[in-house]
Amino acid sequence: MSLLGVDTSPLHSAGPVNDHINFVYTFIFWTSVVIFFGVASAIVYFALRFRRKSDDEEPVQTHGNNRLEVIWTAIPFAILATLFGITASNMSFITSAPANSMKVCVEGVQFSWTFYYEDSCGTPHATSGGRVSYRPADPAVVSSGGGKLYIPVGKPVALEVVSDDVNHSFYVPRLAGQVNAIPGQPNHMWLQADRAGEFKGQCTELCGSGHAGMLLDVIAIPTDNFDTCLNQLRNKQPPSACTGGNA
């Protein structure tokens, strides 16, 4: 699977989690732009307006100005408080999955992803080679490999992200932020797709020689087809119903 020519820009949001992330990013970005040009303009203005016109000229000396001190303290504080408030007010939405979310366990291993549906990852168990695995012992648990995660359109999906070996990072730019997959430390995130389609992602934590090939697809399927898709996965059939088209 190649990412060449595929839209993976986080600015082209396709879900509510990334909408909130983009809102915070855009607000902070344009605030920074205004501050930069405001400060730069002030520096240029004062450098020209109050420049010394001769070597003998002594600039006016000002010792203490309560009004100025209040202004240059209050303005940065107001900017900082606003940015903090914007960020904090969105963080609870970004990090807390809705109560009606579908559960999926995301298991990373060099160099692939496996997804277990309608279940949490549970307790890891030892495997040969001294590694751990979160693969459920119950063979009835529906899963998909090959880096393909199937989700229903418009349904929130709560992900529990784990690793069997080294640190990985799960990231689908158009749907949500990224979260690390750390051995022995399950992490959590959620995402939702507002439209059918395939959304590309990748491991973003350097995890070994095959890191560049540790890609993933989140395939958002129309709700009417999703149960059929799960049944095909459950019965080890070709997932013909698990298609979302282009996003």
Side-chain angles (χ1 to χ4, degrees), residues 24 27-29 31-32 35 78-88:
V24 174
F27 189 92
I28 293 176
F29 174 80
T31 299
S32 301
I35 292 172
I79 295 172
L80 179 63
T82 301
L83 296 180
F84 174 82
I86 291 292
T87 303

Side-chain angles (χ1 to χ4, degrees), residues 148 150 221 228-229 232-233 236-243:
K148 295 186 181 296
Y150 303 102
I221 303 166
T228 303
C229 172
Q232 290 177 342
L233 293 174
K236 311 300 181 184
Q237 298 173 345
S240 58
C242 303
T243 59

